[in-house]
Amino acid sequence: RAILDILRNKITMEVMYHNLARMAFDFCKRYELKSDFRRFCDTLHSHLKSIVQYQEDNKNSPNAVKLNAEDGESLRLHMETRFVQLSTAMELGSWQKAFETVEELYRLMEMSPRPIAPQMMAAYYERVALLCWHADYKVMHTYAALKVFTLYQKHNRSMTQETVARMASSLLVGALSIPLSENSRTQAIVTTLEGSSDKSVRLGQLLHTSSLPTRDQLVAEIIERGIVELAAPELAELYPALVADFEPLFPSLRDAL
C-alpha cells in the first residue's frame, strides 16, 4: 500500500502502479484473502478520488495522471485494473465489492473523451449481467445479456456458429426465466445513480438506461431479431411450449387434443 501511495499520481510510474495492483489482486485471490481484498479495493477507490482531485488541481502539470487525456491511456489502465478487481471480487464471492467496482467502471466510462471500445463494453455488460443474475434481477440480467449479444453480432465478425448458438441459448433461457409477475412492475428509473440507495435503480443506471423493458418486451425483441432460431434446436422447440402455446391450467386436455 505504501508503494502504491507513492506511485499513484506520477504518470511515469503509472504502468508500475497498475501492475502492482493487479499482482495484489492475484495474491488475494490465490490465498482467498477476502478481508484484505476488501481493504485493498477501498485503498484503490481512495486513490482514484485523489487522482481526480489532483488532476483538477494540476491541470498544467506534465507529470500528473490525467484520466481525461485525449489519448485515453491513463483511463484505459484504470479500467483494465477495475476489470481485474471485478473478476477477483466475483471469484471470491465478494458481491458488494463487485457492485461497487461496476459503479466505479461506469464513472470511469463517463470520463472518457472518446467512445469506449466495443470489446470493453461487451466485457462490461457481461459482468453487469452476472451481477444482476446474482442479485436476482432477471429483467436486468436479460437486458444486459441482450446488449452483449448485440455488441458481439455487430463487432465480432469471427464468431463461430457454436458461439452464436451458445449466446442465443443463454439469452433465450434468461428471458424465459423472468417471472410473469415482472410485467406488472413499474420499470421506470427516475432517480440518479448518486442519489439513490436502491440497488435495482443503481443497476439500471449501470445499464445506461432510464427505463427497463418488461418481460414481454424482451421476449418480443428476441423473437423479432430471430434469436430463437439461432438458439440450440431443443430450446427453439421449447419456446412455443412455454410462450406461444402456453396453457398452464389445461396441459393434459391440450395433450389429449
Side-chain angles (χ1 to χ4, degrees):
R1 175 178 176 174
I3 296 171
L4 291 174
D5 280 340
I6 295 169
L7 300 177
R8 59 183 174 177
N9 288 321
K10 295 179 173 57
I11 196 164
T12 54
M13 298 287 108
E14 198 172 18
V15 174
M16 184 182 294
Y17 172 90
H18 289 283
N19 286 340
L20 286 172
R22 294 169 199 178
M23 287 170 63
F25 288 137
D26 184 61
F27 184 82
C28 291
K29 180 173 65 176
R30 189 181 309 167
Y31 296 102
E32 299 184 358
L33 304 173
K34 296 183 181 181
S35 297
D36 294 285
F37 170 73
R38 288 193 291 269
R39 283 195 292 270
F40 188 58
C41 289
D42 292 339
T43 296
L44 290 194
H45 176 69
S46 174
H47 284 179
L48 183 59
K49 290 175 66 177
S50 171
I51 288 168
V52 172
Q53 186 60 51
Y54 190 82
Q55 169 183 286
E56 290 298 315
D57 296 341
N58 299 270
K59 293 180 180 179
N60 298 321
S61 172
N63 296 318
V65 173
K66 293 183 174 62
L67 296 176
N68 58 358
E70 190 60 36
D71 63 5
E73 182 63 16
S74 294
L75 191 65
R76 182 186 64 80
L77 287 168
H78 275 276
M79 289 182 66
E80 288 177 354
T81 297
R82 290 314 183 282
F83 273 114
V84 176
Q85 178 178 316
L86 180 54
S87 296
T88 305
M90 288 178 168
E91 290 189 43
L92 290 175
S94 185
W95 292 101
Q96 181 57 38
K97 283 300 172 191
F99 181 77
E100 291 171 7
T101 305
V102 168
E103 287 190 313
E104 207 153 70
L105 271 168
Y106 173 88
R107 293 188 184 102
L108 285 167
M109 288 179 183
E110 294 294 295
M111 294 181 194
S112 179
R114 58 176 66 181
I116 304 297
Q119 297 89 338
M120 190 168 279
M121 287 304 304
Y124 169 80
Y125 285 125
E126 282 178 334
R127 275 36 169 223
V128 175
L130 283 172
L131 200 58
C132 291
W133 182 263
H134 183 268
D136 201 30
Y137 296 123
K138 291 188 171 62
V139 168
M140 295 182 188
H141 164 264
T142 304
Y143 185 68
L146 184 58
K147 281 180 170 286
V148 175
F149 187 82
T150 301
L151 285 164
Y152 269 86
Q153 265 197 328
K154 188 174 181 180
H155 298 285
N156 190 347
R157 303 298 183 187
S158 60
M159 270 208 308
T160 63
Q161 289 295 326
E162 291 78 8
T163 302
V164 172
R166 177 179 57 78
M167 292 184 70
S169 299
S170 176
L171 185 53
L172 181 58
V173 169
L176 295 179
S177 70
I178 300 170
L180 292 172
S181 58
E182 290 291 328
N183 282 322
S184 62
R185 293 187 183 181
T186 302
Q187 298 294 340
I189 299 171
V190 294
T191 50
T192 63
L193 181 62
E194 292 80 6
S196 174
S197 59
D198 183 346
K199 187 170 286 189
S200 64
V201 171
R202 291 158 70 192
L203 276 168
Q205 290 290 326
L206 297 177
L207 289 168
H208 297 95
T209 181
S210 60
S211 180
L212 285 171
T214 63
R215 178 189 189 275
D216 286 349
Q217 288 170 334
L218 281 169
V219 171
E221 183 170 352
I222 287 170
I223 295 167
E224 184 180 341
R225 292 176 53 180
I227 295 174
V228 174
E229 288 75 17
L230 296 174
E234 54 271 27
L235 285 174
E237 293 171 7
L238 183 64
Y239 161 75
L242 289 177
V243 179
D245 304 320
F246 187 48
E247 299 174 42
L249 299 180
F250 307 102
S252 57
L253 177 60
R254 184 192 59 199
D255 293 341
L257 294 173

